[in-house]
């Protein structure tokens, strides 16, 4: 048992209604876990439904923890959700608790997470991610201008997608890296057809051209385009990533420590990528992934996602902005180096 265990959910409205190829939203929920032991408090989080907070409270609040071994609590949590189903809410709940336990361990040892794991690079490359299908052409262009690596959403209308990709290329110039994410909106043949048009604009990354559940479809497209195919953000467990890679579905695997059972799960995914010679790219939650990106060899870059950058820059004391296309963890602060500004979170989430 910890000295104190606290879980909160804050639903923060977006600036405007946003959409991608297959979803629309007007808010993002941050689920925050604080675990105190021996006078130090670890902070972990996930972006999930507020049911995740209720799940954590109900199933993990009385977890036996060894603050020096997040892995022991991780395996206890995995065992505890056996009959409930590991994917989805349960995995996100485990992720937030696992992250808080790693943060706690770092604070007890007074080291940043990257130092505890052992750095392999001083900074991790980032790409600016947003470019929602709900944005006007002007908004798209001004959001990305000046960035050397960007990712935009496509998938609502194939003609408009081509025009928008052309407009973003114009805004970022010929040398910047341009990625697209269809969030599974296209059919196999349409995706292939779009890939040809996108390749002409120098697009080098095509994320979820078809549903990430269609592994055969991903492979079909991957084998027929020079553009790299990426997927994996809905991976909640190691077996999912293993199956995806074994199917030849991706050139680059994506994983999200706030979904794939935390820091512990992300490290396992990284080892899998290393053994299969597949690069890994982290999905969203930049404050968590900055440390992992600097400590794990297979990580190529980090997704600097608009909604999460906005929330973390407003609500996380110690948030480090990306500079010159890189995220550099603050080595003067222990753990992830961020603390939730609870009062501000309560105020922004409203009643
Ligand atoms: Mg995506």
């Amino acid at each position: 048992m910890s000295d104190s265990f606290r879980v909160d959910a804050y639903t923060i409205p977006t600036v405007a209604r946003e959409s991608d190829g297959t979803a629309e939203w007007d808010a993002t929920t941050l689920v925050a876990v604080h675990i105190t032991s021996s006078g130090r408090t670890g902070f972990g989080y996930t972006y999930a439904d507020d049911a995740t907070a209720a799940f954590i409270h109900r199933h993990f609040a009385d977890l036996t923890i060894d603050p020096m071994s997040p892995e022991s609590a991780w395996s206890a949590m995995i065992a505890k959700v056996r009959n409930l189903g590991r994917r989805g809410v349960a995995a996100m709940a485990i992720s937030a608790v696992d992250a808080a336990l790693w943060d706690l361990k770092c604070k007890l040892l007074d080291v940043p997470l990257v130092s505890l794991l052992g750095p392999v690079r001083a900074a991790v490359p980032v790409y600016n991610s947003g470019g929602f299908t709900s944005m006007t052409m002007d908004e798209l262009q001004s959001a990305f201008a000046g960035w050397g690596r960007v990712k935009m959403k496509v998938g609502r209308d194939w003609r408009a997608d081509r025009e928008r990709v052309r407009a973003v290329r114009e805004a970022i110039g010929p040398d910047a890296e341009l990625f697209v994410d269809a969030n599974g909106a296209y059919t196999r043949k349409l995706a292939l057809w779009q890939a040809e048009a996108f390749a002409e604009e120098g697009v080098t990354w095509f994320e979820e051209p078809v549903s990430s559940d269609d592994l055969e479809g991903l492979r079909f497209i991957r084998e027929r385009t020079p553009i790299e195919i990426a997927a994996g953000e809905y991976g909640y467990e190691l077996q999912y990533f293993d199956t995806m890679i074994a199917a030849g579905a991706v050139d680059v695997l994506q994983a999200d420590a706030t979904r794939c059972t935390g820091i512990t799960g992300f490290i396992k995914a990284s080892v899998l990528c290393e053994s299969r010679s597949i690069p890994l790219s982290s999905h969203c939650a930049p404050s968590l992934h900055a440390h992992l990106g600097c400590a794990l060899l297979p990580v190529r870059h980090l997704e600097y996602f608009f909604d999460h950058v906005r929330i973390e820059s407003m609500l996380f004391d110690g948030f480090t902005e990306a500079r010159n296309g890189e995220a550099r963890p603050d080595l003067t602060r222990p753990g992830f180096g961020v603390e939730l500004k609870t009062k501000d979170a309560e105020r922004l989430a409203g009643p």
Side-chain angles (χ1 to χ4, degrees):
M1 288 269 285
S2 52
D3 303 339
S4 124
F5 190 106
R6 198 190 150 98
V7 53
D8 301 283
Y10 305 96
T11 298
I12 316 289
T14 52
V15 179
R17 191 161 180 83
E18 295 170 349
S19 68
D20 58 28
T22 47
E24 282 182 54
W25 63 97
D26 56 14
T28 304
T29 300
L30 173 78
V31 174
V33 173
H34 287 94
I35 300 174
T36 304
S37 182
S38 308
R40 300 303 305 263
T41 299
F43 164 52
Y45 65 99
T46 180
Y47 292 102
D49 190 86
D50 55 11
T52 308
F55 190 99
I56 292 169
H57 191 71
R58 186 180 177 99
H59 298 288
F60 302 147
D62 61 352
L63 195 69
T64 301
I65 63 158
D66 169 358
M68 284 301 114
S69 177
E71 293 93 334
S72 63
W74 184 90
S75 61
M77 289 190 285
I78 293 286
K80 199 148 189 194
V81 304
R82 191 194 68 185
N83 293 349
L84 306 173
R86 212 156 64 188
R87 294 183 175 189
V89 170
M92 288 187 270
I94 294 172
S95 298
V97 174
D98 178 83
L101 289 172
W102 278 94
D103 192 54
L104 174 62
K105 178 175 178 178
C106 289
K107 283 170 176 163
L108 290 169
L109 297 171
D110 199 26
V111 289
L113 179 68
V114 63
S115 306
L116 181 71
L117 298 176
V120 294
R121 53 184 77 87
V124 58
V126 306
Y127 66 87
N128 180 347
S129 164
F132 305 115
T133 54
S134 45
M135 291 166 97
T136 65
M137 213 73 114
D138 283 349
E139 286 170 340
L140 254 185
Q141 289 189 311
S142 60
F144 287 143
W147 281 79
R149 205 176 290 113
V150 308
K151 186 172 86 188
M152 61 184 292
K153 301 292 192 181
V154 293
R156 288 275 158 186
D157 170 338
W158 68 266
R159 277 194 195 87
D161 291 341
R162 292 179 179 203
E163 280 166 32
R164 292 164 74 83
V165 166
R166 212 171 300 131
V168 169
R169 171 55 77 198
E170 207 179 277
I172 60 178
D175 298 328
E177 292 178 52
L178 175 53
F179 305 168
V180 297
D181 182 358
N183 288 95
Y186 295 137
T187 60
R188 293 183 189 184
K189 287 291 172 70
L190 178 56
L192 200 54
W193 201 49
Q194 293 293 72
E196 279 179 33
F198 296 157
E200 279 174 30
E201 297 300 333
V203 169
T204 52
W205 162 294
F206 198 169
E207 183 171 323
E208 292 180 42
V210 294
S211 165
S212 49
D213 294 326
D214 181 10
L215 299 180
E216 247 180 59
L218 289 174
R219 183 179 180 153
F220 171 85
I221 297 153
R222 188 182 150 241
E223 287 176 340
R224 288 164 179 81
T225 174
I227 303 180
E228 287 187 315
I229 302 300
E233 67 182 68
Y234 312 113
Y236 293 107
E237 57 191 352
L238 193 60
Q239 293 79 357
Y240 175 98
F241 299 128
D242 193 35
T243 305
M244 183 169 264
I245 294 173
V250 291
D251 293 291
V252 183
L253 185 78
Q254 294 177 275
D256 185 332
T258 73
R259 292 181 179 168
C260 70
T261 68
I263 306 312
T264 305
F266 193 92
I267 293 169
K268 291 174 194 285
S270 166
V271 172
L272 181 64
C273 286
E274 199 166 342
S275 81
R276 303 280 197 132
S277 300
I278 296 271
L280 175 61
S281 180
S282 66
H283 173 260
C284 297
S287 298
L288 277 195
H289 291 113
H291 287 258
L292 291 167
C294 290
L296 301 171
L297 275 175
V299 176
R300 181 195 280 181
H301 43 46
L302 170 158
E303 178 169 9
Y304 201 64
F305 179 56
F306 177 81
D307 288 2
H308 295 179
V309 169
R310 176 174 170 262
I311 287 176
E312 294 180 19
S313 63
M314 289 190 301
L315 299 185
F316 289 6
D317 179 42
F319 176 76
T320 312
E321 255 182 57
R323 280 186 217 290
N324 304 319
E326 291 181 328
R328 194 175 288 269
D330 182 351
L331 301 181
T332 66
R333 300 169 70 108
F336 303 114
V338 293
E339 297 298 341
L340 180 65
K341 296 189 261 186
T342 312
K343 288 272 175 296
D344 290 343
E346 282 168 5
R347 186 176 45 78
L348 279 175

